[in-house]
Amino acid sequence: MRVGVVRNPKSYRNRRDMPWVTAPDNVLFAKPKTKAALTEALTSFAEAGVDRLVLDGGDGTVRDVLTRLPATFGARIPLLAVTPSGKTNVLAEDLGVAPDWSVEAAVGRILDPAAPRQVRPCIDVVREDGSLRRGFVFGTGAYVRATRLAQSAHRMGAFGTASVALTLAMSVVQSIAGRDDRGWRAGEVMQLARGGKAEARARFLVIASTLERLPLGLKPFGAERPGLKSLTIDAPPRLLLAALGPLWRGTEPAWLARAGYVRGEGDFKIALDGEFVLDGEAYPGGELTVSAGPALEFVT
């Protein structure tokens, strides 16, 4: 067994705390500061026979590593562990990883054959040209605006669950206020197809995830369950205040879908001119296929 540790030196916790373990010879370390350096590190890990990866960073670090695994490790996906060192650690929270879980503890656990494991498929976002990005939370429309608000919350000193709570509160205020024909409430025209003909209309928000438990107990997709799940909200959002309860608790009142709040399962295609966000980072829109990726094993 060989372990590779990818430590993001730019992650929130790692900028303040940089101790290194005294590791056995079968543990390799990398502290890549650029995307190119990350690719080089993963390539060297694969060539060295690494079959276990500890990802020391936030959700963005996980996204960047998973996106590069096909080009560096090929079809051989290593066993994974995540230490929550970023400003947002939604994946780690879903897996039940303690906020203070250290690299030392993760290395010890991932080398233990009897350590408990959990499986989560990632999301594959593929463009028309075949380029791939992998993550766990996809969103567009109001989700892009909310991500920018989250960055403001970080500047205010709110991180993790506190950041999610503050961002959600600010997003609700922005979504209720204002006119239907401009700003948040106007939404964005996009084409969405789920196994059939694409339908173009203004949508306030589209969000999808393969995670099972979201921060604050939010259940926008309904009951907690595995697999790729999505929520689409038409623009302008109707009965938004009334819908907050069902979207938080995961209930399914009969009026919810009629009001334009549609929950879905499985893969879909989406085309949009605006941006989309994958695990906290915004990318240009286009014609995209959003699907469940390979099942990944995480030591917890």
Side-chain angles (χ1 to χ4, degrees):
M1 295 184 290
R2 303 205 77 180
V3 179
V5 177
V6 176
R7 187 183 189 110
N8 185 351
K10 298 179 182 179
S11 290
Y12 171 67
R13 190 172 72 179
N14 291 345
R15 287 183 294 180
R16 299 176 298 140
D17 177 24
M18 295 298 293
W20 284 94
V21 296
T22 302
D25 293 338
N26 63 337
V27 179
L28 307 178
F29 291 93
K31 294 189 291 183
K33 295 182 179 180
T34 65
K35 302 291 177 64
L38 175 59
T39 301
E40 292 177 5
L42 292 172
T43 300
S44 67
F45 282 175
E47 292 172 349
V50 164
D51 58 358
R52 286 157 168 73
L53 279 179
V54 174
L55 309 182
D56 182 22
D59 293 322
T61 302
V62 176
R63 176 201 63 232
D64 290 343
V65 169
L66 295 185
T67 296
R68 286 161 176 76
L69 284 185
T72 55
F73 278 75
R76 179 173 60 91
I77 299 177
L79 180 64
L80 300 167
V82 177
T83 59
S85 301
K87 295 176 182 177
T88 59
N89 304 282
V90 177
L91 170 63
E93 187 169 341
D94 176 39
L95 295 172
V97 176
D100 59 350
W101 208 35
S102 67
V103 171
E104 292 90 337
V107 168
R109 186 64 63 91
I110 206 168
L111 286 169
D112 179 3
R117 302 181 183 186
Q118 294 191 52
V119 175
R120 294 290 185 278
C122 59
I123 291 179
D124 281 1
V125 180
V126 182
R127 294 188 181 276
E128 274 194 309
D129 62 5
S131 60
L132 166 72
R133 282 189 170 88
R134 282 181 169 164
F136 287 93
V137 181
F138 168 95
T140 188
Y143 191 79
V144 176
R145 297 174 183 262
T147 299
R148 296 194 180 103
L149 285 181
Q151 295 167 356
S152 299
H154 295 156
R155 289 192 291 270
M156 296 166 61
F159 301 99
T161 302
S163 171
V164 174
L166 182 57
T167 301
L168 181 61
M170 293 189 293
S171 298
V172 169
V173 171
Q174 293 282 355
S175 302
I176 293 173
R179 294 170 45 173
D180 288 352
D181 61 349
R182 65 179 62 175
W184 285 60
R185 294 183 59 80
E188 178 184 346
V189 176
M190 55 187 79
Q191 291 188 359
L192 183 66
R194 192 186 304 279
K197 183 179 179 181
E199 184 180 11
R201 69 170 67 170
R203 292 182 166 89
F204 170 72
L205 174 138
V206 176
I207 185 173
S209 181
T210 51
L211 300 180
E212 298 179 18
R213 292 175 292 273
L214 297 179
L216 302 174
L218 292 168
K219 298 181 177 66
F221 313 115
E224 294 177 354
R225 61 198 186 280
L228 177 60
K229 308 160 288 287
S230 61
L231 169 69
T232 302
I233 303 177
D234 289 343
R238 299 167 54 199
L239 304 174
L240 182 56
L241 283 177
L244 291 178
L247 297 181
W248 197 310
R249 298 188 300 269
T251 56
E252 196 79 47
W255 60 265
L256 195 64
R258 293 198 300 269
Y261 299 79
V262 179
R263 289 164 168 155
E265 304 276 346
D267 306 352
F268 60 93
K269 295 180 182 292
I270 187 169
L272 66 157
D273 293 330
E275 295 178 316
F276 71 92
V277 167
L278 184 65
D279 289 2
E281 185 164 336
Y283 300 96
E287 296 188 15
L288 313 169
T289 298
V290 181
S291 60
L296 308 172
E297 268 195 303
F298 293 89
V299 169
T300 60

